[in-house]
Amino acid sequence: MALQITFKQMRRFALTIVSLLMIWLVMGHFIWVKTTRVDPLEQVNVDCYFLTPMNVNTAINNFKITSEIPNDTVDYEYKWHSPFHLRVLISEKNKPQGIEYRYSFNKAKALIPPFTVSKKGAILTRVKPELITISPNKNAPTTGPILLQFNTPILKESMQQKVNCDAAGHFTPLKKNDYTCWQFIPSNPLQHQKSYQITIEAGLKGVHGLTSDSRKEITFSTAPKLIITDIYPLNGDQSVWLSRNIKLTANQPIKDAKITGIKGETIIDQNTVLFIPDRTFTPATNYNIKVTITSIYNETVEKTINYRTTDLGNKAWLEIKAGTPCQIWLMQGHQEIKKIEGWFTKDLAKLPRVTMYEAHRSNSTAKPWIRLNTDILIHSFPHTSEDNHHAIGLPQTYSCILLSPQVMDQLYATLSKGFMVIVH
């Protein structure tokens, strides 16, 4: 029996398909959104009403919301009142208020498969501009910036017209495309320990149109001048010892310190900066050190120190930097002759960081050794793995620095009696 389809049936079928498609287009791309502010709670309620029942377990996985403030996360919670009604609660506590949010549902699953809902839109609730904080209001840096945090983005033109300071300068956003936080940059450094006033005239306009109601005056005071009260070495010193550190003390707690002209470690402790060089100073050498110190109030001071180190003539001596292994330099006056490695036989914390001198030496056992005045013996590696002085014919000492036999022979022949060793 042949299947016969009439034109009327085909038209009815086509109308059904078109109707279903239209229903899907409407139901899958329409969401009615109602927005209300709850100001005492600093909260925005966003009610989303759907034409099709949604899968309340998975639909929210395809929901996204972003703020007009770059890189600012949106704090929100959600609650389904029914498969047709989703409430999103946006918290603006400690956040910019009255800003625009962009939301999207991207193929959020409906309760009836295979229907999904996709929709994009904007949410906006406006608030009147209000200054929240000025920082710092005490001990402000004389070069700025002074930060003004508003509750909502401020129109740039209005900021220039309605906000001024009794010191010359300009206002700019702290971050690109974020008009909630502005910074005042003085044209010239402000005076230390002086009060200044910023005035915000009534009518300050937010980006989204509302204006402030009243005039506001706020004050801030600047920090005291940053002064270096103590320093070592002094500028012009002519005989600075080789193992000394550079130390500076200021009249304010220090946040940062940079030293150029020498390599080493910088340690900050309250008002003091201690700079520990990687190496000892080189004898008979002129140093030109530049120090830049920044206080916790962002005040900055620079200091240049010129000094000269002790002249050792042409005497041979050793520099030892504690480590595993220890780095050892054979020096001839201010010239580096050789870099070698050695091993301290005790815990490195027990190696004295001092200037030592040779106390005694011997080569009678065909294995040369040198005793320092701190009861530390310098000698070559023992043939056994254990540094047993009784077994290998060496005197008992507090500890040892072990070297290769070839290096030990060279040092014994090169270093004159009573030579100096600086350990750091």
Short mmCIF file of all heavy atoms in Angstrom, two decimals, residues 135-147 165-170 183-196 220-227 251-252 255 293-301:
data_model
loop_
_atom_site.label_atom_id
_atom_site.label_comp_id
_atom_site.label_asym_id
_atom_site.label_seq_id
_atom_site.Cartn_x
_atom_site.Cartn_y
_atom_site.Cartn_z
N SER A 135 43.89 58.05 52.12
CA SER A 135 45.03 57.38 52.74
C SER A 135 46.33 57.72 51.99
O SER A 135 46.32 57.83 50.76
CB SER A 135 44.82 55.87 52.75
OG SER A 135 44.73 55.36 51.42
N PRO A 136 47.39 57.92 52.77
CA PRO A 136 47.36 58.02 54.23
C PRO A 136 46.91 59.43 54.64
O PRO A 136 47.24 60.39 53.97
CB PRO A 136 48.80 57.76 54.64
CG PRO A 136 49.60 58.21 53.45
CD PRO A 136 48.77 57.97 52.24
N ASN A 137 46.17 59.52 55.73
CA ASN A 137 45.78 60.84 56.22
C ASN A 137 46.81 61.40 57.21
O ASN A 137 46.78 62.58 57.53
CB ASN A 137 44.39 60.80 56.84
CG ASN A 137 44.34 59.90 58.06
OD1 ASN A 137 45.22 59.06 58.27
ND2 ASN A 137 43.30 60.03 58.86
N LYS A 138 47.72 60.53 57.67
CA LYS A 138 48.83 60.96 58.52
C LYS A 138 50.12 60.37 57.95
O LYS A 138 50.13 59.28 57.39
CB LYS A 138 48.63 60.50 59.96
CG LYS A 138 47.47 61.16 60.67
CD LYS A 138 47.37 60.68 62.11
CE LYS A 138 46.22 61.36 62.84
NZ LYS A 138 46.10 60.89 64.25
N ASN A 139 51.21 61.11 58.12
CA ASN A 139 52.52 60.67 57.63
C ASN A 139 52.47 60.34 56.14
O ASN A 139 53.04 59.34 55.68
CB ASN A 139 53.02 59.46 58.43
CG ASN A 139 53.35 59.81 59.86
OD1 ASN A 139 53.97 60.84 60.12
ND2 ASN A 139 52.93 58.98 60.79
N ALA A 140 51.79 61.18 55.38
CA ALA A 140 51.71 60.99 53.93
C ALA A 140 53.04 61.33 53.29
O ALA A 140 53.75 62.23 53.74
CB ALA A 140 50.61 61.87 53.35
N PRO A 141 53.43 60.60 52.23
CA PRO A 141 54.69 60.92 51.55
C PRO A 141 54.63 62.29 50.88
O PRO A 141 53.62 62.65 50.28
CB PRO A 141 54.83 59.80 50.52
CG PRO A 141 53.45 59.29 50.32
CD PRO A 141 52.73 59.47 51.62
N THR A 142 55.69 63.04 50.97
CA THR A 142 55.69 64.40 50.43
C THR A 142 55.65 64.42 48.91
O THR A 142 55.31 65.44 48.31
CB THR A 142 56.94 65.16 50.91
OG1 THR A 142 58.11 64.40 50.58
CG2 THR A 142 56.89 65.39 52.41
N THR A 143 55.97 63.30 48.28
CA THR A 143 55.89 63.23 46.82
C THR A 143 54.63 62.52 46.35
O THR A 143 54.45 62.32 45.15
CB THR A 143 57.11 62.48 46.26
OG1 THR A 143 57.22 61.19 46.88
CG2 THR A 143 58.39 63.26 46.52
N GLY A 144 53.75 62.16 47.29
CA GLY A 144 52.54 61.45 46.95
C GLY A 144 52.81 59.97 46.71
O GLY A 144 53.92 59.49 46.88
N PRO A 145 51.78 59.22 46.31
CA PRO A 145 50.42 59.71 46.08
C PRO A 145 49.58 59.71 47.35
O PRO A 145 49.87 58.98 48.30
CB PRO A 145 49.88 58.71 45.07
CG PRO A 145 50.56 57.42 45.45
CD PRO A 145 51.94 57.80 45.90
N ILE A 146 48.52 60.53 47.32
CA ILE A 146 47.47 60.51 48.33
C ILE A 146 46.26 59.87 47.68
O ILE A 146 45.79 60.33 46.64
CB ILE A 146 47.12 61.93 48.83
CG1 ILE A 146 48.41 62.72 49.12
CG2 ILE A 146 46.21 61.86 50.03
CD1 ILE A 146 49.30 62.12 50.17
N LEU A 147 45.74 58.79 48.26
CA LEU A 147 44.67 58.01 47.62
C LEU A 147 43.30 58.42 48.15
O LEU A 147 43.10 58.55 49.36
CB LEU A 147 44.89 56.52 47.86
CG LEU A 147 46.23 55.95 47.39
CD1 LEU A 147 46.28 54.45 47.64
CD2 LEU A 147 46.46 56.25 45.92
N CYS A 165 42.94 70.49 45.64
CA CYS A 165 43.79 70.48 46.84
C CYS A 165 44.45 71.85 46.96
O CYS A 165 44.70 72.52 45.94
CB CYS A 165 44.84 69.37 46.73
SG CYS A 165 45.94 69.24 48.18
N ASP A 166 44.76 72.26 48.20
CA ASP A 166 45.41 73.56 48.38
C ASP A 166 46.90 73.50 48.07
O ASP A 166 47.62 74.48 48.25
CB ASP A 166 45.17 74.10 49.80
CG ASP A 166 45.63 73.15 50.89
OD1 ASP A 166 46.24 72.11 50.56
OD2 ASP A 166 45.36 73.44 52.07
N ALA A 167 47.38 72.36 47.58
CA ALA A 167 48.73 72.24 47.03
C ALA A 167 48.61 71.92 45.55
O ALA A 167 47.68 71.23 45.12
CB ALA A 167 49.50 71.13 47.74
N ALA A 168 49.53 72.44 44.76
CA ALA A 168 49.49 72.20 43.32
C ALA A 168 49.71 70.73 43.03
O ALA A 168 50.56 70.07 43.64
CB ALA A 168 50.55 73.05 42.63
N GLY A 169 48.94 70.21 42.08
CA GLY A 169 49.07 68.81 41.71
C GLY A 169 47.92 68.39 40.82
O GLY A 169 47.12 69.21 40.35
N HIS A 170 47.78 67.09 40.56
CA HIS A 170 46.71 66.60 39.70
C HIS A 170 46.18 65.27 40.22
O HIS A 170 46.87 64.55 40.96
CB HIS A 170 47.19 66.45 38.26
CG HIS A 170 48.30 65.45 38.10
ND1 HIS A 170 49.62 65.74 38.38
CD2 HIS A 170 48.29 64.15 37.71
CE1 HIS A 170 50.37 64.68 38.16
NE2 HIS A 170 49.60 63.70 37.75
N GLN A 183 44.26 59.10 42.76
CA GLN A 183 45.46 59.49 43.48
C GLN A 183 45.81 60.95 43.18
O GLN A 183 45.71 61.38 42.03
CB GLN A 183 46.64 58.58 43.13
CG GLN A 183 46.95 58.47 41.65
CD GLN A 183 48.07 57.52 41.35
OE1 GLN A 183 48.83 57.13 42.25
NE2 GLN A 183 48.23 57.12 40.09
N PHE A 184 46.20 61.64 44.23
CA PHE A 184 46.66 63.01 44.08
C PHE A 184 48.18 62.99 44.03
O PHE A 184 48.85 62.50 44.94
CB PHE A 184 46.18 63.89 45.24
CG PHE A 184 46.78 65.28 45.22
CD1 PHE A 184 46.41 66.20 44.25
CD2 PHE A 184 47.72 65.65 46.17
CE1 PHE A 184 46.97 67.47 44.22
CE2 PHE A 184 48.28 66.92 46.16
CZ PHE A 184 47.90 67.82 45.18
N ILE A 185 48.74 63.52 42.93
CA ILE A 185 50.18 63.59 42.75
C ILE A 185 50.60 65.06 42.82
O ILE A 185 50.22 65.85 41.96
CB ILE A 185 50.62 63.01 41.40
CG1 ILE A 185 50.04 61.60 41.20
CG2 ILE A 185 52.13 63.00 41.28
CD1 ILE A 185 50.56 60.58 42.16
N PRO A 186 51.36 65.46 43.85
CA PRO A 186 51.81 66.86 43.93
C PRO A 186 52.72 67.23 42.77
O PRO A 186 53.53 66.41 42.30
CB PRO A 186 52.56 66.91 45.27
CG PRO A 186 52.12 65.71 46.03
CD PRO A 186 51.82 64.67 45.00
N SER A 187 52.60 68.47 42.32
CA SER A 187 53.49 68.95 41.25
C SER A 187 54.92 69.08 41.76
O SER A 187 55.88 68.83 41.02
CB SER A 187 52.99 70.31 40.73
OG SER A 187 51.70 70.20 40.20
N ASN A 188 55.07 69.48 43.03
CA ASN A 188 56.37 69.59 43.68
C ASN A 188 56.27 68.91 45.04
O ASN A 188 55.17 68.80 45.61
CB ASN A 188 56.78 71.06 43.85
CG ASN A 188 56.92 71.77 42.51
OD1 ASN A 188 57.75 71.41 41.68
ND2 ASN A 188 56.09 72.78 42.29
N PRO A 189 57.39 68.45 45.59
CA PRO A 189 57.33 67.82 46.92
C PRO A 189 56.67 68.74 47.94
O PRO A 189 56.94 69.94 47.99
CB PRO A 189 58.81 67.57 47.26
CG PRO A 189 59.48 67.45 45.93
CD PRO A 189 58.76 68.42 45.03
N LEU A 190 55.79 68.16 48.76
CA LEU A 190 55.12 68.92 49.81
C LEU A 190 56.09 69.17 50.96
O LEU A 190 57.15 68.55 51.05
CB LEU A 190 53.90 68.14 50.30
CG LEU A 190 52.87 67.75 49.23
CD1 LEU A 190 51.79 66.86 49.84
CD2 LEU A 190 52.26 68.98 48.58
N GLN A 191 55.70 70.06 51.84
CA GLN A 191 56.52 70.33 53.02
C GLN A 191 56.32 69.22 54.03
O GLN A 191 55.24 68.65 54.15
CB GLN A 191 56.15 71.68 53.63
CG GLN A 191 56.42 72.88 52.74
CD GLN A 191 56.08 74.18 53.43
OE1 GLN A 191 56.29 74.33 54.64
NE2 GLN A 191 55.56 75.14 52.67
N HIS A 192 57.39 68.91 54.78
CA HIS A 192 57.30 67.87 55.80
C HIS A 192 56.49 68.36 57.00
O HIS A 192 56.53 69.54 57.36
CB HIS A 192 58.70 67.45 56.26
CG HIS A 192 59.47 66.72 55.20
ND1 HIS A 192 60.39 67.34 54.38
CD2 HIS A 192 59.44 65.42 54.81
CE1 HIS A 192 60.91 66.46 53.55
NE2 HIS A 192 60.35 65.29 53.78
N GLN A 193 55.76 67.44 57.58
CA GLN A 193 54.98 67.68 58.80
C GLN A 193 54.08 68.92 58.68
O GLN A 193 54.08 69.79 59.55
CB GLN A 193 55.91 67.81 60.01
CG GLN A 193 56.62 66.50 60.34
CD GLN A 193 57.52 66.60 61.55
OE1 GLN A 193 58.56 67.27 61.50
NE2 GLN A 193 57.14 65.95 62.64
N LYS A 194 53.34 68.94 57.58
CA LYS A 194 52.40 70.03 57.35
C LYS A 194 51.05 69.45 56.93
O LYS A 194 50.99 68.42 56.27
CB LYS A 194 52.93 70.97 56.26
CG LYS A 194 52.00 72.16 56.00
CD LYS A 194 52.55 73.09 54.93
CE LYS A 194 51.56 74.22 54.66
NZ LYS A 194 52.06 75.16 53.63
N SER A 195 49.96 70.14 57.31
CA SER A 195 48.61 69.71 56.96
C SER A 195 48.17 70.36 55.65
O SER A 195 48.44 71.54 55.42
CB SER A 195 47.63 70.05 58.08
OG SER A 195 47.90 69.29 59.24
N TYR A 196 47.49 69.57 54.82
CA TYR A 196 46.93 70.06 53.55
C TYR A 196 45.46 69.68 53.49
O TYR A 196 45.01 68.75 54.17
CB TYR A 196 47.69 69.45 52.36
CG TYR A 196 49.11 69.94 52.25
CD1 TYR A 196 50.14 69.31 52.94
CD2 TYR A 196 49.42 71.03 51.44
CE1 TYR A 196 51.45 69.76 52.83
CE2 TYR A 196 50.74 71.49 51.34
CZ TYR A 196 51.74 70.85 52.03
OH TYR A 196 53.03 71.30 51.93
N PHE A 220 44.96 66.02 55.29
CA PHE A 220 46.00 65.01 55.51
C PHE A 220 47.28 65.74 55.91
O PHE A 220 47.47 66.91 55.59
CB PHE A 220 46.22 64.14 54.26
CG PHE A 220 46.80 64.88 53.08
CD1 PHE A 220 48.17 64.96 52.88
CD2 PHE A 220 45.96 65.51 52.16
CE1 PHE A 220 48.69 65.63 51.79
CE2 PHE A 220 46.47 66.19 51.07
CZ PHE A 220 47.84 66.25 50.88
N SER A 221 48.15 65.04 56.62
CA SER A 221 49.41 65.63 57.05
C SER A 221 50.57 64.80 56.53
O SER A 221 50.46 63.58 56.39
CB SER A 221 49.47 65.74 58.57
OG SER A 221 49.33 64.46 59.17
N THR A 222 51.67 65.46 56.25
CA THR A 222 52.82 64.79 55.66
C THR A 222 53.79 64.25 56.71
O THR A 222 53.76 64.65 57.88
CB THR A 222 53.58 65.76 54.73
OG1 THR A 222 53.85 66.96 55.44
CG2 THR A 222 52.75 66.08 53.50
N ALA A 223 54.63 63.34 56.28
CA ALA A 223 55.58 62.67 57.16
C ALA A 223 56.75 63.58 57.51
O ALA A 223 57.04 64.54 56.79
CB ALA A 223 56.09 61.40 56.49
N PRO A 224 57.46 63.28 58.59
CA PRO A 224 58.70 64.03 58.88
C PRO A 224 59.78 63.69 57.87
O PRO A 224 59.71 62.67 57.17
CB PRO A 224 59.08 63.54 60.29
CG PRO A 224 58.42 62.22 60.43
CD PRO A 224 57.16 62.28 59.63
N LYS A 225 60.77 64.54 57.79
CA LYS A 225 61.87 64.33 56.84
C LYS A 225 62.68 63.10 57.25
O LYS A 225 62.98 62.90 58.42
CB LYS A 225 62.77 65.57 56.81
CG LYS A 225 63.86 65.50 55.77
CD LYS A 225 64.67 66.79 55.74
CE LYS A 225 65.76 66.74 54.67
NZ LYS A 225 66.54 68.01 54.62
N LEU A 226 63.02 62.28 56.27
CA LEU A 226 63.83 61.10 56.53
C LEU A 226 65.30 61.52 56.61
O LEU A 226 65.85 62.12 55.69
CB LEU A 226 63.63 60.07 55.41
CG LEU A 226 64.45 58.78 55.51
CD1 LEU A 226 64.14 58.03 56.80
CD2 LEU A 226 64.18 57.89 54.30
N ILE A 227 65.93 61.19 57.74
CA ILE A 227 67.31 61.59 57.99
C ILE A 227 68.13 60.38 58.40
O ILE A 227 67.68 59.55 59.21
CB ILE A 227 67.38 62.66 59.11
CG1 ILE A 227 66.57 63.90 58.71
CG2 ILE A 227 68.82 63.03 59.43
CD1 ILE A 227 66.44 64.92 59.83
N ASN A 251 65.96 57.98 61.16
CA ASN A 251 65.03 58.44 62.20
C ASN A 251 63.62 57.89 62.03
O ASN A 251 62.71 58.25 62.77
CB ASN A 251 64.97 59.98 62.20
CG ASN A 251 64.40 60.54 60.91
OD1 ASN A 251 64.50 59.92 59.85
ND2 ASN A 251 63.81 61.73 60.98
N GLN A 252 63.42 57.01 61.03
CA GLN A 252 62.11 56.41 60.78
C GLN A 252 62.30 54.92 60.48
O GLN A 252 63.36 54.51 60.01
CB GLN A 252 61.42 57.07 59.58
CG GLN A 252 61.18 58.56 59.72
CD GLN A 252 60.65 59.17 58.43
OE1 GLN A 252 60.06 58.49 57.59
NE2 GLN A 252 60.86 60.48 58.26
N LYS A 255 61.55 50.73 55.12
CA LYS A 255 60.84 49.73 54.33
C LYS A 255 61.73 49.07 53.29
O LYS A 255 61.63 47.87 53.02
CB LYS A 255 59.64 50.38 53.62
CG LYS A 255 58.82 49.42 52.76
CD LYS A 255 57.61 50.10 52.15
CE LYS A 255 58.01 51.08 51.07
NZ LYS A 255 56.84 51.66 50.35
N ILE A 293 67.54 54.84 50.69
CA ILE A 293 66.69 54.30 51.75
C ILE A 293 65.28 54.87 51.60
O ILE A 293 65.10 56.06 51.38
CB ILE A 293 67.26 54.65 53.14
CG1 ILE A 293 68.60 53.94 53.35
CG2 ILE A 293 66.29 54.25 54.24
CD1 ILE A 293 69.26 54.29 54.67
N THR A 294 64.28 53.99 51.74
CA THR A 294 62.88 54.39 51.71
C THR A 294 62.23 54.00 53.02
O THR A 294 62.31 52.84 53.45
CB THR A 294 62.14 53.73 50.54
OG1 THR A 294 62.79 54.06 49.32
CG2 THR A 294 60.69 54.20 50.47
N SER A 295 61.57 54.95 53.67
CA SER A 295 60.92 54.69 54.95
C SER A 295 59.55 54.07 54.73
O SER A 295 59.05 53.98 53.61
CB SER A 295 60.78 55.98 55.76
OG SER A 295 59.73 56.78 55.21
N ILE A 296 58.92 53.64 55.82
CA ILE A 296 57.57 53.07 55.73
C ILE A 296 56.56 54.13 55.31
O ILE A 296 55.43 53.80 54.92
CB ILE A 296 57.13 52.43 57.07
CG1 ILE A 296 57.13 53.48 58.20
CG2 ILE A 296 58.02 51.25 57.41
CD1 ILE A 296 56.53 52.96 59.49
N TYR A 297 56.95 55.41 55.37
CA TYR A 297 56.08 56.50 54.91
C TYR A 297 56.39 56.90 53.46
O TYR A 297 55.90 57.91 52.98
CB TYR A 297 56.24 57.72 55.82
CG TYR A 297 56.09 57.42 57.29
CD1 TYR A 297 57.05 57.84 58.21
CD2 TYR A 297 55.01 56.69 57.77
CE1 TYR A 297 56.94 57.56 59.56
CE2 TYR A 297 54.88 56.39 59.12
CZ TYR A 297 55.86 56.84 60.01
OH TYR A 297 55.73 56.54 61.34
N ASN A 298 57.22 56.07 52.81
CA ASN A 298 57.62 56.30 51.41
C ASN A 298 58.43 57.58 51.22
O ASN A 298 58.45 58.15 50.12
CB ASN A 298 56.39 56.31 50.48
CG ASN A 298 55.84 54.91 50.27
OD1 ASN A 298 56.58 53.93 50.24
ND2 ASN A 298 54.53 54.79 50.13
N GLU A 299 59.08 58.02 52.28
CA GLU A 299 60.06 59.09 52.15
C GLU A 299 61.39 58.47 51.75
O GLU A 299 61.74 57.36 52.21
CB GLU A 299 60.21 59.85 53.46
CG GLU A 299 58.98 60.69 53.82
CD GLU A 299 58.75 61.82 52.83
OE1 GLU A 299 59.62 62.68 52.68
OE2 GLU A 299 57.68 61.82 52.19
N THR A 300 62.15 59.16 50.92
CA THR A 300 63.39 58.60 50.39
C THR A 300 64.56 59.54 50.64
O THR A 300 64.41 60.76 50.56
CB THR A 300 63.26 58.34 48.88
OG1 THR A 300 62.19 57.41 48.66
CG2 THR A 300 64.54 57.75 48.30
N VAL A 301 65.72 58.93 50.95
CA VAL A 301 66.94 59.71 51.09
C VAL A 301 68.07 58.92 50.43
O VAL A 301 68.10 57.68 50.47
CB VAL A 301 67.25 60.00 52.57
CG1 VAL A 301 67.54 58.72 53.33
CG2 VAL A 301 68.43 60.97 52.70
#
